Amino acid sequence: ASTILFDLSAIDLSQTICDSSCLDEFLPQTGPMRQCDRISWISEDRRNCVGIKVVRPDEFWCEHHIKGRPLFPGVLMIESCAQCASWLFRARFPALGFLGFLRCEDASFRGQVVPGDTFVILVNEIEATPRRFISNVQGVVNGKLVFEAKITGMAI
């Protein structure tokens, strides 16, 4: 069984260090494809961060992803985490061009995420060069690990 990457009890999840307009400066995804609402925390070394995605009942997938019982799609969990990992990488390397998503490994879905949930995104960058990053990512809801993977992105 996996453990949560870092102690969330030591982090004020109500804090916002980068809101939606700030994310606009770092991420190309907009509108319904923006899957991170804000960044709550970044470590001093800028290699760990926590993002927040409030799963709303009016999102584009709700009516169709399990009719009558909407579940946040796994692919959007991956996208949420990739966006946060990209933000973290850009916090250190802001001048690079477009970041492409290269790889998702060891993805594991450990619980359901439904409208009304707050999907807390944890990113731990394990390797980075000025052009490429690899991050361990997790999604947590109500203190429970619901998703984890390893994501690779690259400036292209």
Side-chain angles (χ1 to χ4, degrees):
S2 293
T3 57
I4 294 176
L5 287 170
F6 26 89
D7 182 7
L8 288 175
S9 69
I11 297 169
D12 180 0
L13 297 179
S14 68
Q15 184 179 353
T16 298
I17 62 164
C18 183
D19 64 10
S20 180
S21 61
C22 170
L23 288 171
D24 288 343
E25 298 173 30
F26 290 86
L27 301 174
Q29 297 86 358
T30 62
M33 279 313 296
R34 174 68 58 78
Q35 294 298 314
C36 175
D37 298 327
R38 60 188 173 85
I39 305 296
S40 269
W41 174 81
I42 187 171
S43 62
E44 258 184 60
D45 66 3
R46 301 175 120 192
R47 295 194 183 268
N48 300 285
C49 75
V50 173
I52 303 293
K53 159 70 176 163
V54 176
V55 182
R56 299 181 330 274
D58 64 345
E59 297 199 46
F60 71 92
W61 52 266
C62 285
E63 184 182 346
H64 307 286
H65 194 257
I66 319 303
K67 195 161 187 68
R69 186 179 172 196
L71 297 176
F72 189 42
V75 69
L76 294 181
M77 291 185 204
I78 294 169
E79 181 67 24
S80 296
C81 292
Q83 288 179 19
C84 279
S86 296
W87 177 86
L88 181 63
F89 181 70
R90 284 212 179 274
R92 286 206 333 280
F93 301 104
L96 295 172
F98 177 77
L99 288 181
F101 181 51
L102 295 182
R103 184 176 297 122
C104 179
E105 300 172 89
D106 303 321
S108 182
F109 301 93
R110 302 177 177 279
Q112 296 180 356
V113 182
V114 299
D117 284 344
T118 297
F119 187 69
V120 179
I121 303 155
L122 289 73
V123 179
N124 167 240
E125 190 179 79
I126 54 176
E127 187 180 316
T129 67
R131 286 205 55 218
R132 183 173 145 279
F133 68 87
I134 301 172
S135 295
N136 286 325
V137 296
Q138 293 180 330
V140 173
V141 174
N142 297 323
K144 180 179 182 269
L145 181 63
V146 296
F147 168 72
E148 62 185 332
K150 184 162 69 171
I151 288 177
T152 304
M154 183 173 184
I156 52 175

